[in-house]
């Protein structure tokens, strides 16, 4: 009787410990996701991508699923994945809450669900408890996690779907896996491929008998991909490569160097240690090593792959940290300090990224400036730096000349050249022609544009014309944010 | 005759070197470099605001600042001492003598060789040019760096060295970005010992890992804004090409040898050869690691030539002790062992001729080229004659004088990290002084909101012009002080 109760107690204790661990993980997840909003202390959504999704979602709410965006580049086809804007529009309508709030709420919920799923997926593949706990914590404080679940973006739902698909595969619920992978096709081309590769690797290693099922899933997914993209390819061909003033690729990869979808340098160092540790058992971990290396290399060509790499990275980091903890050090003093430094490094990268996210534009002045343009009932185009394009569309509800959606943008090269011409020319005749050509009614200027993003000098190009020509009237100026209205265009 | 202990000799050397430097430094009220005035200003700002300056509204007309602040906080504490900014840096920089002695003795166990090495280290001409009569962070950072090396060598012998090393690992990155040299040197040390099959204790490897990670973490924290702005290019510190090019264009081999000191170079090279082929002690490879690290940074133009040569000079001096110790051992085995004292005297005379005299000449040169009283008083007068918040134009080397003495905005100064467009500004400043076209000059003066322009003799000489061609146009320029003009149109 006594031994039975002892066993029960031990089992209870074991369970409750795990529950505590999960609770701590959940609390830290909630804290991490909320952190940018806490630091920002403003209801304004961060970044530019969020506003693109808001625009498409509001279009869906108005007109149903649509292929035409009347505001981007003065009007163009919508060829970006509609998965997230569709979910955003429908949930917002269903719950009768604003699109802005839904944009924050859904990533938040998915963030919590993804963390739980990640933990239980690791548990299902029998990853040691310590490793899965550390991995989950590392995953939670990673810059990519903050990006995915604190902002409105393309990637968080497909990541969740793929993780869930993999989890169901581990539970031998293959039909659900097939459905989930198929669903990811609505969120971009890379996600179903990533899901299929993960499923294929698992099938080849653990369950070769399921290969037939894999082929069926592959066929379904490929059909869906082809149905979505073949018409685009036939009509528009392959998108032309067009890049402007991007950060160098090595800088884009690391959050500490200003990357957006990016890794922590400290995590990478620890992952390297983790790789060395697991190298000794390479038969068990060879797939992870190869996948990690391949994903890392591919990330140089397509940065969003880092969101999948981040999962493997978290596991390798956990191995690295555990090795440092378990290894017998000559000096316990140095050991503790080193572990502390590395942990602080991981936290520093996360915190610093959260701060960067919180500080991102738009701010109150930008929103106010663009809201002023919104009050104009005429549908005049607003000219600004292309990076402000999504804000112009959503906040001012006006067409832009350019925005960051370069793929399949109409007359992209010409539009870019005209924009440059307008920014830097002091020739009123030439500028007037361009303004007329694009039906530009407003010019929107941010402090960043005057501080090197576009101009370096006070009266450079368009700034000179704005100051000395009677054709332009400043209608808003607040902390460097300016809105200029264009009157009757005469060459004077 | 009672033999004088090496400790006494060491103290004598220390005192003499300190007096030697004081003799020169106290012969003028002013500092020899414009950068000293930046350091003075940053220290005084901490006294005023109780926190270090993060935004400078005078430099470049207003810009963000990122720097390691510990040195300035330290001097705020010390500021009660009279002549603190002159005397303390000299005392700190003279500590290198003790550190070199300690390392050399650890490497050779030969007091005589170590004392000669410490004497040589006190008179490395390039070290003098870096720290003499300057309120410079290097006066503390360089001895701290080499003391860390000493602690690293001694790790395992006593717990206190480990503790010193850990404490200094925190301090050095908070002093100066040169802290990055240590992890690079330790990496080279690890590579060298591995390739030479020399066992490095587990504890040292652990300390090495710790030090690398700590330096990276602290650098990311301190220089976060710079990393975000420049990425890994931050290591070039945003120094304009025309300036980084100058670091190396004015140097020739002979000049470099004289700057290093001929004796440290000769004996140092012998020391390197011995340490590679015969010595094979891990501590030898630590110093060689420093040499390689500095060499790498110099080749990549990541550090100023004078700073690089200083580190090379001190490392070579330490290795000189190895060569001298071998030389004395060899001598004792020959028939000349009776002449050891005479030969030692010859070496000391050689040190006097080849190190102390060049150092004396370098020091005299430095003091001669020190910012003159008239120059300083000109900036003080500018302060009295111009309204606060106005911008004063002068070339790069006067940048910190404008902000410190005149308390006015400058267009350009030598603090390039996070400075807005310094390369273009340097070109524009040169253009303003040299152009023949008043319209162009006025356009550029307007670009930087320049209110006053200094046209003194040194500036005229620097740009190799007879005068600023348009400055006599009274419609646009009004002389408010001799050689200082207000831009009025």
């Amino acid at each position: 009787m006594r031994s039975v109760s002892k066993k029960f107690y031990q089992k209870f204790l074991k369970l409750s410990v795990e529950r505590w661990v999960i609770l701590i993980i959940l609390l830290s997840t909630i804290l991490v996701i909320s952190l940018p909003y806490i630091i920002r202390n403003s209801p304004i959504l961060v970044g530019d991508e969020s506003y693109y999704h808001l625009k498409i979602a509001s279009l869906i709410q108005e007109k149903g699923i649509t292929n035409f965006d009347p505001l981007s580049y003065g009007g163009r086809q919508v060829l970006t994945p509609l998965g997230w804007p569709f979910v955003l529009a429908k949930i917002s309508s269903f719950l009768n809450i604003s699109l802005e709030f839904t944009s924050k709420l859904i990533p938040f919920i998915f963030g919590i669900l993804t963390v739980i799923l990640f933990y239980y997926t690791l548990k299902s593949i029998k990853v040691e408890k310590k490793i899965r706990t550390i991995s989950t914590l590392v995953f939670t404080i990673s810059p990519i996690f903050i990006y995915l679940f604190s902002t409105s973006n393309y990637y968080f739902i497909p990541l969740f779907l793929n993780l869930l698909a993999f989890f169901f595969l581990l539970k031998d619920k293959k039909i659900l896996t097939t459905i989930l992978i198929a669903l990811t096709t609505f969120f971009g081309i890379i996600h179903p491929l990533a899901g299929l590769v993960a499923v294929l690797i698992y099938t080849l290693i653990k369950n070769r008998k399921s290969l037939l099922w894999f082929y069926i899933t592959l066929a379904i997914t490929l059909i869906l991909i082809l149905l979505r993209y073949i018409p685009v390819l036939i009509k528009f061909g392959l998108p032309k490569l067009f890049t402007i003033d991007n950060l160098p690729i090595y800088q884009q990869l690391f959050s500490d160097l200003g990357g957006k979808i990016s890794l922590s340098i400290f995590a990478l160092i620890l992952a390297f240690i983790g790789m060395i540790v697991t190298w000794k058992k390479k038969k068990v971990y060879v797939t992870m090593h190869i996948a990690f290396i391949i994903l890392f290399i591919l990330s140089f060509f397509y940065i969003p792959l880092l969101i999948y790499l981040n999962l493997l990275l978290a596991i390798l980091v956990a191995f690295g940290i555990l090795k440092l903890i378990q290894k017998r050090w000559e000096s316990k003093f140095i050991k503790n300090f080193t572990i502390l430094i590395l942990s602080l490094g991981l936290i520093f990268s996360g915190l610093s990224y959260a701060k960067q996210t919180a500080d991102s534009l738009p701010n109150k002045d930008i929103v106010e400036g663009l809201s002023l343009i919104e009050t104009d009932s005429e549908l005049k185009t607003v000219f600004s730096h292309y990076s402000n394009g999504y804000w112009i569309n959503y906040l001012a509800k006006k067409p832009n000349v350019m925005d960051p959606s370069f793929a399949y943008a109409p007359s992209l090269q010409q539009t870019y050249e005209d924009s440059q011409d307008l920014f830097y020319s002091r020739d009123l005749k030439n500028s007037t022609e361009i303004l007329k050509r694009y039906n530009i009614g407003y010019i929107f200027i941010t402090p960043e544009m005057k501080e090197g993003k576009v101009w370096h000098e006070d009266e450079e190009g368009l700034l000179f014309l704005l100051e000395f020509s009677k054709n332009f009237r400043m209608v808003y100026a607040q902390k460097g944010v300016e809105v200029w209205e264009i009157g009757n265009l005469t060459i004077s | 005759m009672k033999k004088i202990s090496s400790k006494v000799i060491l103290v004598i050397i220390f005192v003499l070197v300190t007096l030697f430097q004081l003799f020169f430094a106290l012969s003028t009220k002013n500092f020899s470099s414009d950068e000293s005035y930046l350091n003075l200003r940053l220290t005084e700002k901490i006294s005023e605001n109780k926190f270090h300056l993060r935004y400078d509204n005078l430099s470049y007309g207003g810009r963000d600042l990122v720097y390691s602040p510990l040195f300035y906080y330290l001097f705020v504490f010390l500021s009660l001492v009279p002549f603190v900014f002159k005397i303390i840096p000299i005392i700190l920089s003279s500590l290198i003598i003790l550190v070199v002695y300690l390392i050399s003795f650890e490497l050779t166990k030969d007091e005589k060789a170590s004392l000669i090495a410490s004497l040589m280290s006190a008179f490395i001409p390039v070290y003098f040019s870096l720290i003499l009569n300057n309120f410079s962070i290097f006066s503390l950072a360089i001895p701290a760096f080499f003391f860390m090396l000493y602690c690293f060598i001694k790790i395992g012998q006593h717990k206190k060295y480990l503790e010193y090393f850990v404490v200094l690992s925190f301090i050095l990155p908070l002093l100066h970005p040169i802290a990055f040299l240590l992890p690079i040197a330790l990496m080279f040390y690890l590579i060298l010992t591995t390739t030479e099959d020399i066992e490095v204790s587990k504890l040292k490897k652990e300390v090495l890992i710790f030090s690398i990670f700590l330096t990276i973490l602290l650098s990311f924290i301190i220089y976060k804004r710079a990393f975000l702005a420049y990425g890994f290019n931050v290591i070039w510190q945003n120094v304009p090409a025309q300036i980084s090019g100058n670091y190396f264009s004015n140097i020739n081999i002979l000049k470099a040898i004289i700057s290093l000191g001929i004796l440290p170079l000769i004996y140092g090279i012998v020391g390197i050869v011995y340490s590679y082929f015969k010595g094979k002690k891990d501590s030898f490879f630590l110093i060689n690691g420093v040499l390689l690290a500095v060499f790498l940074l110099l080749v990549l133009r990541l550090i100023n030539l004078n700073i690089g040569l200083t580190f090379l000079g001190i490392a070579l001096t330490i290795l000189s002790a190895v060569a001298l110790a071998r030389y004395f051992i060899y001598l004792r085995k020959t028939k000349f062992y009776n002449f050891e004292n005479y030969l030692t005297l010859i070496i000391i005379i050689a040190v006097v001729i080849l190190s102390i005299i060049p150092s004396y000449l370098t020091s005299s040169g430095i003091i001669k080229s020190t910012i003159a009283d008239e120059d300083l008083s000109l900036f003080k007068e500018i302060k009295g004659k111009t309204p606060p918040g106005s911008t004063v134009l002068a070339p790069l080397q006067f940048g910190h004088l404008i902000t410190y003495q005149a308390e006015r905005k400058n267009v350009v100064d030598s603090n390039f990290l996070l400075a807005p467009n310094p390369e273009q500004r340097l070109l524009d400043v040169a253009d303003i002084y040299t152009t023949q076209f008043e319209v162009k000059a006025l356009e550029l003066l307007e670009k930087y909101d320049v209110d006053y322009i200094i046209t003194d003799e040194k500036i005229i000489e620097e740009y190799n012009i007879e005068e600023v061609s348009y400055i006599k146009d009274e419609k646009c320029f009004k002389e408010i002080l001799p050689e200082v003009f207000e831009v009025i149109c």
Side-chain angles (χ1 to χ4, degrees), chain B residues 156-197:
Chain B
Q157 291 182 25
H158 197 285
K159 204 182 162 195
K160 69 178 179 190
Y161 294 109
L162 179 63
E163 288 164 359
Y164 292 159
F165 188 87
V166 170
V167 171
L168 283 168
S169 298
F170 279 96
I171 289 175
L172 198 60
L174 293 173
L175 273 179
H176 195 272
I178 200 70
F180 248 109
L181 185 63
L182 190 76
I184 302 170
L186 290 177
M187 299 261 222
F188 273 116
Y189 159 74
L190 206 61
I191 293 167
L192 289 173
T193 46
T194 310
T195 52
E196 291 297 315
D197 218 12

Side-chain angles (χ1 to χ4, degrees), chain A residues 143-280:
Chain A
I144 286 185
F145 183 84
I146 296 169
Y147 165 75
L148 286 174
F149 302 108
S150 295
T151 65
S152 165
N153 59 78
Y154 282 116
Y155 312 106
F156 70 95
I157 295 182
L159 174 72
F160 173 78
L161 292 176
N162 269 333
L163 256 180
L164 193 61
F166 194 71
F167 181 75
F168 281 133
L169 179 65
L170 296 172
K171 300 289 172 197
D172 210 23
K173 290 177 179 163
K174 295 193 190 77
I175 295 172
L176 284 173
T177 302
T178 307
I179 294 169
L180 289 166
I181 290 180
L183 277 176
T184 61
T185 55
F186 296 103
F187 295 86
I189 200 164
I190 208 77
H191 308 290
L193 296 178
L196 284 171
V197 171
V199 167
L200 174 66
I201 291 169
Y202 182 79
T203 312
L204 287 174
I205 294 171
K206 294 277 180 185
N207 196 359
R208 278 179 174 262
K209 284 176 195 166
S210 302
L211 268 176
L212 180 63
W213 161 78
F214 171 76
Y215 291 133
I216 294 167
T217 309
L218 177 70
I220 294 169
T221 315
L222 284 181
I223 288 167
L224 284 170
I225 292 174
L226 293 176
L227 280 175
R228 173 79 180 95
Y229 293 101
I230 286 288
V232 176
L233 286 174
I234 290 170
K235 200 168 173 187
F236 301 101
L238 285 168
K240 284 171 194 156
L241 271 179
F242 189 83
T243 46
I244 316 172
D245 58 38
N246 275 343
L247 287 174
I249 189 73
Y250 74 86
Q251 229 171 306
Q252 288 183 51
L253 286 176
F254 298 108
S255 65
D256 312 274
L257 303 181
K260 185 173 157 191
I261 305 173
S262 50
L263 307 171
S264 148
I265 286 181
F266 285 90
L268 205 66
I269 294 169
L270 278 166
F272 181 67
I273 298 172
M275 209 171 219
I276 294 168
V277 174
T278 47
W279 196 257
K280 287 171 188 161

